[in-house]
């Protein structure tokens, strides 16, 4: 699941762009998305504080306020991938001072430019080291880097994270709920498994083989779909 925020003060435009993003992610990236629509910078700041965002589409002019200037003051220290949009290119005078990962002129947003913008944002989301997380195991709080997770398996809401060093971390959670915390390089390839696509060495019917030598199953009925998602990841995000 990819978490997208569109912050624009035009409700009609938000809906149109949301539909385009959803279609692009499904058709080009084979990914589902959760879309959040916001109209002002105050709501945006509150949302960013409490929620994961894999890509932020931010209109530069919001109710006469320059969101690019606002982002320099409020987003400089954050890793949120920001895609700036505008109908007035002259308003982008300070873009070099922002953490912008892509820039779109609204009248020129087509499938090609939208794909490139999403590629840039999701590459950043998959690669930045908000990969570090804390997992509680009884009284122990274990720090885990998602980049070191080879794959995840589940049995009766007990998850096991298999790590590159051969270690294992156990978590009590459903795989569906835990997946919401993961970056886009994790693929739900089986009802009981998620694989870190950065560690896949090869695939055959019906297995992913990891660089560590381990394997992760792929259901025969979903083999074509899963492989298509993996190929889309290699093409667009690696």
């Amino acid at each position: 699941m990819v978490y997208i925020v569109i912050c624009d003060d035009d409700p009609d435009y938000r809906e149109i762009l949301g539909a385009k993003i959803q279609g692009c992610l499904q058709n080009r990236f084979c990914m589902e998305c959760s879309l959040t629509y916001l109209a002002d910078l105050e709501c945006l700041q509150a949302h960013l504080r409490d929620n994961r965002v894999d890509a932020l589409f931010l209109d530069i002019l919001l109710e006469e306020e320059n969101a690019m200037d606002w982002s320099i003051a409020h987003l400089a220290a954050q890793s949120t991938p920001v895609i700036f949009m505008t109908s007035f290119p002259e308003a982008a005078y300070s873009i070099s001072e922002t953490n912008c990962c892509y820039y779109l002129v609204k009248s020129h947003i087509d499938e090609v430019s939208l794909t490139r913008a999403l590629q840039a944002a999701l590459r950043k989301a998959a690669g930045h080291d908000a990969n570090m997380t804390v997992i509680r195991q009884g009284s122990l709080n274990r720090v885990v880097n998602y980049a070191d997770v080879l794959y995840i398996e589940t049995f009766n809401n007990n998850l096991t994270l298999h790590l590159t060093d051969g270690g294992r971390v156990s978590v009590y959670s459903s795989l569906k709920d835990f997946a919401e915390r993961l970056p886009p390089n994790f693929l739900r390839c089986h009802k009981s498994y998620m694989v870190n696509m950065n560690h896949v060495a090869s695939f055959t019917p019906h297995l992913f083989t990891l660089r560590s030598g381990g394997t992760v199953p792929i259901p025969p009925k979903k083999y074509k779909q899963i492989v298509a998602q993996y190929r889309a990841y290699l093409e667009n995000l690696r």
Side-chain angles (χ1 to χ4, degrees):
M1 179 70 72
V2 179
Y3 294 85
I4 307 287
V5 170
I6 301 172
C7 188
D8 193 295
D9 52 13
D10 182 340
D12 293 332
Y13 185 79
R14 290 198 302 264
E15 294 290 337
I16 292 170
L17 180 61
K20 289 182 177 181
I21 290 170
Q22 198 165 31
C24 185
L25 283 169
Q26 289 176 345
N27 298 330
R28 176 72 191 225
F29 298 83
C30 300
M31 288 180 170
E32 298 297 322
C33 70
S34 171
L35 287 166
T36 299
Y37 300 104
L38 302 172
D40 59 69
L41 295 173
E42 184 177 353
C43 291
L44 174 60
Q45 188 168 4
H47 185 85
L48 290 173
R49 183 172 57 245
D50 300 325
N51 298 274
R52 166 182 157 188
V53 177
D54 294 316
L56 166 60
F57 286 78
L58 181 56
D59 188 15
I60 291 179
L61 293 179
L62 290 168
E63 298 293 342
E64 300 183 358
E65 187 172 1
N66 191 305
M68 191 166 283
D69 292 340
W70 176 89
S71 75
I72 295 171
H74 295 87
L75 300 182
Q78 293 193 21
S79 56
T80 304
V82 182
I83 299 162
F84 284 108
M85 312 175 296
T86 189
S87 297
F88 307 97
E90 64 273 13
Y93 53 82
S94 57
I95 192 169
S96 62
E97 300 175 47
T98 72
N99 62 345
C100 172
C101 70
Y102 210 84
Y103 170 71
L104 294 168
V105 176
K106 286 185 175 182
S107 59
H108 292 86
I109 297 179
D110 55 16
E111 185 177 356
V112 173
S113 62
L114 188 56
T115 296
R116 288 174 178 167
L118 286 166
Q119 283 176 331
L122 296 181
R123 281 177 179 144
K124 185 175 180 180
H128 69 67
D129 242 359
N131 279 317
M132 302 298 291
T133 190
V134 176
I135 295 176
R136 187 167 184 174
Q137 296 179 288
S139 61
L140 175 67
N141 291 292
R142 174 107 181 240
V143 178
V144 174
N145 191 326
Y146 287 135
D148 295 331
V149 177
L150 295 168
Y151 66 97
I152 303 167
E153 63 177 324
T154 183
F155 181 75
N156 289 339
N157 280 348
N158 287 290
L159 301 183
T160 302
L161 281 59
H162 296 261
L163 307 180
T164 54
D165 63 2
R168 298 181 181 186
V169 177
S170 298
V171 184
Y172 183 76
S173 172
S174 70
L175 190 55
K176 179 181 178 181
D177 289 344
F178 193 78
E180 295 182 358
R181 302 165 55 180
L182 298 172
N185 48 297
F186 280 85
L187 172 65
R188 181 78 178 265
C189 60
H190 186 282
K191 66 179 182 180
S192 299
Y193 291 89
M194 292 193 78
V195 66
N196 184 340
M197 292 184 282
N198 290 340
H199 290 291
V200 171
S202 63
F203 59 90
T204 57
H206 296 98
L207 291 172
F208 280 121
T209 298
L210 307 178
R211 293 192 179 94
S212 65
T215 59
V216 178
I218 307 171
K221 290 184 179 180
K222 291 190 174 181
Y223 179 74
K224 288 185 178 180
Q225 173 192 335
I226 295 301
V227 168
Q229 288 178 270
Y230 176 62
R231 290 184 183 277
Y233 174 77
L234 289 181
E235 180 180 349
N236 292 294
L237 303 181
R238 286 292 295 272

Coordinates of all heavy atoms in Angstrom, one line a residue, residues 16-74:
I16 N -9.8 15.0 -9.5 CA -9.3 14.6 -10.8 C -7.8 14.0 -10.7 O -7.5 13.0 -11.3 CB -9.3 15.8 -11.8 CG1 -10.7 16.2 -12.1 CG2 -8.5 15.5 -13.0 CD1 -10.8 17.6 -12.8
L17 N -7.0 14.7 -9.9 CA -5.6 14.3 -9.8 C -5.6 12.9 -9.0 O -4.8 12.0 -9.4 CB -4.8 15.3 -9.0 CG -3.3 14.9 -8.8 CD1 -2.6 14.7 -10.1 CD2 -2.6 16.0 -8.0
G18 N -6.4 12.8 -8.0 CA -6.5 11.5 -7.3 C -6.8 10.4 -8.2 O -6.2 9.3 -8.1
A19 N -7.8 10.5 -9.1 CA -8.1 9.5 -10.0 C -7.0 9.1 -10.9 O -6.7 8.0 -11.2 CB -9.4 9.9 -10.8
K20 N -6.2 10.2 -11.4 CA -5.1 9.9 -12.3 C -4.0 9.2 -11.5 O -3.4 8.2 -12.1 CB -4.5 11.2 -12.8 CG -5.4 11.9 -13.8 CD -4.8 13.2 -14.3 CE -5.6 13.9 -15.4 NZ -5.0 15.1 -15.9
I21 N -3.7 9.6 -10.3 CA -2.7 8.9 -9.5 C -3.0 7.4 -9.2 O -2.2 6.5 -9.4 CB -2.5 9.6 -8.2 CG1 -1.8 11.0 -8.4 CG2 -1.6 8.8 -7.2 CD1 -1.8 11.9 -7.2
Q22 N -4.3 7.2 -8.9 CA -4.8 5.9 -8.6 C -4.6 5.0 -9.8 O -4.1 3.9 -9.7 CB -6.2 5.9 -8.1 CG -6.7 4.6 -7.4 CD -8.0 4.9 -6.7 OE1 -8.8 5.7 -7.1 NE2 -8.2 4.2 -5.6
G23 N -5.0 5.5 -11.0 CA -4.9 4.7 -12.2 C -3.5 4.5 -12.6 O -3.1 3.4 -13.0
C24 N -2.6 5.5 -12.4 CA -1.2 5.3 -12.7 C -0.5 4.2 -11.8 O 0.2 3.4 -12.3 CB -0.5 6.6 -12.6 SG 1.3 6.6 -13.1
L25 N -0.8 4.3 -10.5 CA -0.2 3.3 -9.6 C -0.7 1.9 -9.9 O 0.1 1.0 -9.9 CB -0.6 3.7 -8.2 CG 0.2 4.9 -7.6 CD1 -0.4 5.3 -6.3 CD2 1.7 4.5 -7.4
Q26 N -1.9 1.8 -10.3 CA -2.5 0.4 -10.6 C -1.9 -0.1 -11.9 O -1.5 -1.3 -12.0 CB -4.0 0.5 -10.6 CG -4.6 0.6 -9.2 CD -6.1 0.8 -9.3 OE1 -6.7 1.0 -10.3 NE2 -6.8 0.7 -8.1
N27 N -1.9 0.8 -12.9 CA -1.6 0.3 -14.3 C -0.1 0.2 -14.5 O 0.4 -0.7 -15.2 CB -2.2 1.2 -15.3 CG -3.7 1.2 -15.2 OD1 -4.3 0.2 -14.9 ND2 -4.3 2.4 -15.6
R28 N 0.7 1.1 -13.9 CA 2.1 1.2 -14.2 C 2.9 0.5 -13.1 O 3.9 -0.2 -13.4 CB 2.5 2.7 -14.3 CG 4.0 2.9 -14.5 CD 4.5 2.5 -15.9 NE 5.9 2.4 -16.0 CZ 6.6 2.9 -17.0 NH1 6.0 3.5 -18.0 NH2 7.9 2.8 -17.0
F29 N 2.5 0.7 -11.9 CA 3.3 0.2 -10.7 C 2.7 -1.1 -10.1 O 3.3 -1.7 -9.2 CB 3.4 1.2 -9.7 CG 4.1 2.5 -10.1 CD1 3.5 3.5 -10.8 CD2 5.5 2.7 -9.9 CE1 4.1 4.6 -11.2 CE2 6.1 3.8 -10.2 CZ 5.5 4.8 -10.9
C30 N 1.5 -1.5 -10.5 CA 0.8 -2.6 -9.9 C 0.7 -2.4 -8.4 O 0.9 -3.4 -7.6 CB 1.5 -3.9 -10.2 SG 1.6 -4.3 -11.9
M31 N 0.3 -1.2 -7.9 CA 0.2 -0.9 -6.5 C -1.1 -0.3 -6.2 O -1.7 0.4 -7.0 CB 1.3 0.1 -6.1 CG 2.7 -0.4 -6.0 SD 3.9 0.9 -5.6 CE 5.4 -0.1 -5.3
E32 N -1.6 -0.6 -5.0 CA -2.8 0.0 -4.5 C -2.4 1.2 -3.6 O -1.2 1.3 -3.1 CB -3.6 -0.9 -3.6 CG -4.1 -2.2 -4.3 CD -5.1 -1.8 -5.4 OE1 -5.9 -0.9 -5.2 OE2 -5.0 -2.5 -6.5
C33 N -3.3 2.2 -3.5 CA -2.9 3.4 -2.8 C -4.0 3.9 -1.8 O -5.2 3.5 -2.0 CB -2.5 4.5 -3.7 SG -3.9 5.3 -4.6
S34 N -3.6 4.6 -0.8 CA -4.6 5.3 0.1 C -4.4 6.7 -0.1 O -3.3 7.3 0.0 CB -4.3 4.9 1.6 OG -5.0 5.7 2.4
L35 N -5.5 7.4 -0.6 CA -5.4 8.8 -0.9 C -6.0 9.7 0.2 O -7.1 9.4 0.7 CB -6.2 9.1 -2.2 CG -5.5 8.6 -3.5 CD1 -6.6 8.6 -4.6 CD2 -4.4 9.5 -3.9
T36 N -5.3 10.7 0.6 CA -5.8 11.7 1.6 C -5.9 13.1 0.9 O -4.9 13.5 0.3 CB -4.9 11.8 2.8 OG1 -4.9 10.5 3.4 CG2 -5.5 12.8 3.8
Y37 N -7.0 13.7 1.0 CA -7.2 15.0 0.3 C -7.2 16.1 1.4 O -8.0 16.1 2.3 CB -8.5 15.1 -0.5 CG -8.6 14.1 -1.6 CD1 -9.3 12.9 -1.4 CD2 -7.9 14.2 -2.8 CE1 -9.4 12.0 -2.4 CE2 -7.9 13.3 -3.8 CZ -8.7 12.2 -3.6 OH -8.8 11.2 -4.6
L38 N -6.3 17.1 1.3 CA -6.3 18.2 2.2 C -6.3 19.6 1.4 O -5.9 19.6 0.3 CB -5.0 18.2 3.0 CG -4.8 16.9 3.8 CD1 -3.4 16.9 4.5 CD2 -5.8 16.7 4.9
A39 N -6.8 20.6 2.1 CA -7.0 21.9 1.5 C -6.1 23.0 2.0 O -6.1 24.1 1.3 CB -8.5 22.3 1.6
D40 N -5.4 22.8 3.1 CA -4.6 23.9 3.6 C -3.4 23.4 4.4 O -3.3 22.2 4.7 CB -5.5 24.8 4.5 CG -6.1 24.0 5.7 OD1 -5.3 23.6 6.6 OD2 -7.3 23.8 5.8
L41 N -2.5 24.3 4.6 CA -1.2 23.9 5.2 C -1.3 23.5 6.7 O -0.5 22.7 7.2 CB -0.2 25.0 5.0 CG 0.2 25.3 3.6 CD1 1.0 26.6 3.5 CD2 0.9 24.2 2.9
E42 N -2.3 24.1 7.4 CA -2.5 23.7 8.8 C -2.9 22.2 8.9 O -2.3 21.5 9.7 CB -3.5 24.6 9.4 CG -3.7 24.4 10.9 CD -4.7 25.3 11.6 OE1 -5.1 26.2 10.9 OE2 -5.0 25.1 12.7
C43 N -3.8 21.8 8.1 CA -4.2 20.4 8.1 C -3.1 19.5 7.6 O -2.9 18.4 8.2 CB -5.5 20.2 7.2 SG -7.0 21.0 7.9
L44 N -2.3 20.0 6.7 CA -1.2 19.2 6.2 C -0.2 19.0 7.3 O 0.3 17.8 7.4 CB -0.6 19.9 5.0 CG 0.7 19.3 4.4 CD1 0.5 17.8 4.0 CD2 1.3 20.1 3.3
Q45 N 0.1 20.0 8.0 CA 1.1 19.9 9.1 C 0.7 18.9 10.1 O 1.5 18.0 10.6 CB 1.4 21.2 9.7 CG 2.6 21.2 10.7 CD 3.0 22.6 11.1 OE1 2.4 23.6 10.7 NE2 4.1 22.7 11.8
A46 N -0.6 18.9 10.5 CA -1.1 18.0 11.5 C -1.1 16.5 10.9 O -0.7 15.6 11.6 CB -2.6 18.3 11.8
H47 N -1.4 16.4 9.6 CA -1.4 15.0 9.1 C 0.0 14.4 9.0 O 0.2 13.3 9.3 CB -2.0 15.1 7.6 CG -2.2 13.7 7.0 ND1 -3.3 12.9 7.2 CD2 -1.4 13.1 6.1 CE1 -3.1 11.8 6.5 NE2 -2.0 11.9 5.9
L48 N 0.9 15.3 8.6 CA 2.3 14.8 8.5 C 2.9 14.4 9.8 O 3.7 13.5 9.9 CB 3.2 15.9 7.9 CG 3.0 16.2 6.4 CD1 3.8 17.4 5.9 CD2 3.3 15.0 5.5
R49 N 2.4 15.0 10.9 CA 2.9 14.8 12.2 C 2.5 13.4 12.7 O 3.2 12.7 13.4 CB 2.4 15.8 13.2 CG 2.9 15.6 14.6 CD 2.5 16.8 15.5 NE 1.1 17.0 15.5 CZ 0.5 18.1 15.0 NH1 1.2 19.1 14.4 NH2 -0.8 18.2 15.1
D50 N 1.3 12.9 12.2 CA 0.7 11.7 12.8 C 0.6 10.5 11.8 O 0.2 9.4 12.2 CB -0.7 12.0 13.4 CG -0.6 13.0 14.5 OD1 0.4 13.0 15.2 OD2 -1.6 13.8 14.6
N51 N 1.0 10.7 10.6 CA 0.7 9.7 9.6 C 1.9 9.5 8.6 O 2.7 10.4 8.4 CB -0.5 10.1 8.7 CG -1.7 10.2 9.5 OD1 -2.4 9.2 9.7 ND2 -2.1 11.4 10.0
R52 N 2.0 8.3 8.1 CA 3.0 8.0 7.1 C 2.5 8.6 5.8 O 1.4 8.5 5.4 CB 3.1 6.5 7.0 CG 3.9 6.0 5.7 CD 3.9 4.5 5.7 NE 4.2 4.0 4.3 CZ 4.1 2.7 4.0 NH1 3.8 1.8 4.9 NH2 4.3 2.3 2.8
V53 N 3.5 9.2 5.0 CA 3.2 9.7 3.7 C 4.3 9.3 2.8 O 5.5 9.6 3.0 CB 3.1 11.3 3.7 CG1 2.9 11.8 2.3 CG2 2.0 11.7 4.6
D54 N 4.0 8.5 1.7 CA 5.0 8.1 0.7 C 5.2 9.1 -0.4 O 6.3 9.1 -1.0 CB 4.6 6.7 0.1 CG 4.6 5.6 1.2 OD1 5.6 5.6 2.0 OD2 3.7 4.8 1.2
A55 N 4.2 9.9 -0.6 CA 4.3 11.0 -1.7 C 3.3 12.1 -1.4 O 2.1 11.8 -1.1 CB 4.1 10.4 -3.1
L56 N 3.8 13.3 -1.3 CA 3.0 14.5 -1.1 C 2.9 15.3 -2.3 O 3.9 15.9 -2.8 CB 3.5 15.3 0.1 CG 3.0 16.7 0.3 CD1 1.5 16.7 0.5 CD2 3.7 17.4 1.4
F57 N 1.7 15.5 -2.9 CA 1.5 16.3 -4.1 C 1.0 17.7 -3.5 O -0.1 17.8 -2.9 CB 0.4 15.8 -5.0 CG 1.0 14.6 -5.8 CD1 1.1 13.3 -5.3 CD2 1.3 14.8 -7.2 CE1 1.5 12.3 -6.1 CE2 1.8 13.8 -8.0 CZ 1.9 12.5 -7.4
L58 N 1.8 18.7 -3.6 CA 1.6 20.0 -2.9 C 1.5 21.1 -3.9 O 2.4 21.5 -4.6 CB 2.7 20.2 -1.9 CG 2.6 21.5 -1.0 CD1 1.3 21.6 -0.2 CD2 3.8 21.5 -0.1
D59 N 0.3 21.8 -3.9 CA 0.1 22.9 -4.8 C 0.9 24.1 -4.2 O 0.9 24.3 -2.9 CB -1.4 23.3 -4.8 CG -1.7 24.4 -5.8 OD1 -0.8 24.7 -6.6 OD2 -2.8 25.0 -5.7
I60 N 1.6 24.8 -5.0 CA 2.5 25.9 -4.5 C 1.7 27.0 -3.9 O 2.1 27.6 -2.9 CB 3.5 26.4 -5.6 CG1 4.5 25.2 -5.9 CG2 4.2 27.6 -5.2 CD1 5.5 25.6 -7.0
L61 N 0.6 27.4 -4.5 CA -0.2 28.5 -4.0 C -1.5 28.0 -3.4 O -2.3 27.5 -4.1 CB -0.5 29.5 -5.2 CG 0.7 30.3 -5.7 CD1 0.2 31.2 -6.9 CD2 1.4 31.1 -4.7
L62 N -1.6 28.2 -2.1 CA -2.7 27.7 -1.3 C -3.3 28.9 -0.6 O -2.7 29.4 0.4 CB -2.3 26.6 -0.3 CG -1.9 25.3 -0.9 CD1 -1.3 24.4 0.2 CD2 -3.2 24.6 -1.4
E63 N -4.5 29.4 -1.1 CA -5.2 30.5 -0.5 C -4.2 31.7 -0.3 O -4.0 32.3 0.7 CB -5.7 30.2 0.9 CG -6.8 29.1 0.8 CD -8.1 29.5 0.1 OE1 -8.3 30.8 0.0 OE2 -8.9 28.7 -0.3
E64 N -3.4 32.0 -1.4 CA -2.5 33.1 -1.5 C -1.2 32.9 -0.6 O -0.4 33.8 -0.6 CB -3.2 34.4 -1.1 CG -4.4 34.8 -2.0 CD -5.0 36.1 -1.6 OE1 -4.5 36.8 -0.7 OE2 -5.9 36.5 -2.4
E65 N -1.1 31.7 0.0 CA 0.1 31.4 0.7 C 1.0 30.6 -0.2 O 0.6 29.6 -0.8 CB -0.2 30.7 2.0 CG 1.0 30.5 2.9 CD 0.7 30.0 4.3 OE1 -0.5 29.7 4.5 OE2 1.6 29.8 5.1
N66 N 2.3 30.9 -0.2 CA 3.3 30.1 -1.0 C 3.7 28.9 -0.2 O 4.5 29.0 0.8 CB 4.5 31.0 -1.3 CG 5.3 30.3 -2.4 OD1 5.8 29.2 -2.2 ND2 5.6 31.0 -3.5
A67 N 3.2 27.7 -0.6 CA 3.5 26.5 0.1 C 5.0 26.1 0.0 O 5.5 25.3 0.8 CB 2.7 25.3 -0.4
M68 N 5.7 26.6 -1.0 CA 7.1 26.3 -1.2 C 7.9 27.0 -0.1 O 8.8 26.4 0.5 CB 7.6 26.8 -2.6 CG 8.9 26.3 -3.0 SD 9.2 26.5 -4.7 CE 8.3 25.1 -5.4
D69 N 7.6 28.2 0.2 CA 8.2 28.9 1.3 C 7.9 28.2 2.6 O 8.8 28.1 3.5 CB 7.8 30.4 1.4 CG 8.3 31.2 0.2 OD1 9.2 30.8 -0.5 OD2 7.7 32.3 -0.1
W70 N 6.6 27.8 2.8 CA 6.2 27.1 4.0 C 7.0 25.8 4.2 O 7.4 25.5 5.3 CB 4.7 26.8 3.9 CG 4.2 26.0 5.1 CD1 3.7 26.4 6.3 CD2 4.1 24.6 5.1 NE1 3.3 25.4 7.1 CE2 3.6 24.2 6.4 CE3 4.4 23.5 4.2 CZ2 3.3 22.9 6.8 CZ3 4.2 22.2 4.6 CH2 3.7 21.9 5.9
S71 N 7.3 25.1 3.1 CA 8.0 23.8 3.2 C 9.4 24.0 3.6 O 10.0 23.1 4.3 CB 7.9 23.1 1.8 OG 8.8 23.7 0.9
I72 N 10.0 25.1 3.2 CA 11.4 25.4 3.6 C 11.5 25.5 5.1 O 12.4 25.0 5.8 CB 12.0 26.6 2.9 CG1 12.0 26.4 1.4 CG2 13.3 27.0 3.5 CD1 12.3 27.7 0.6
A73 N 10.5 26.1 5.7 CA 10.4 26.3 7.2 C 10.0 25.0 7.9 O 10.5 24.8 9.1 CB 9.5 27.4 7.5
H74 N 9.1 24.2 7.3 CA 8.5 23.1 8.1 C 8.9 21.7 7.6 O 8.7 20.7 8.4 CB 7.0 23.2 8.0 CG 6.5 24.4 8.7 ND1 6.3 25.7 8.0 CD2 6.0 24.6 10.0 CE1 5.8 26.6 8.9 NE2 5.7 26.0 10.1

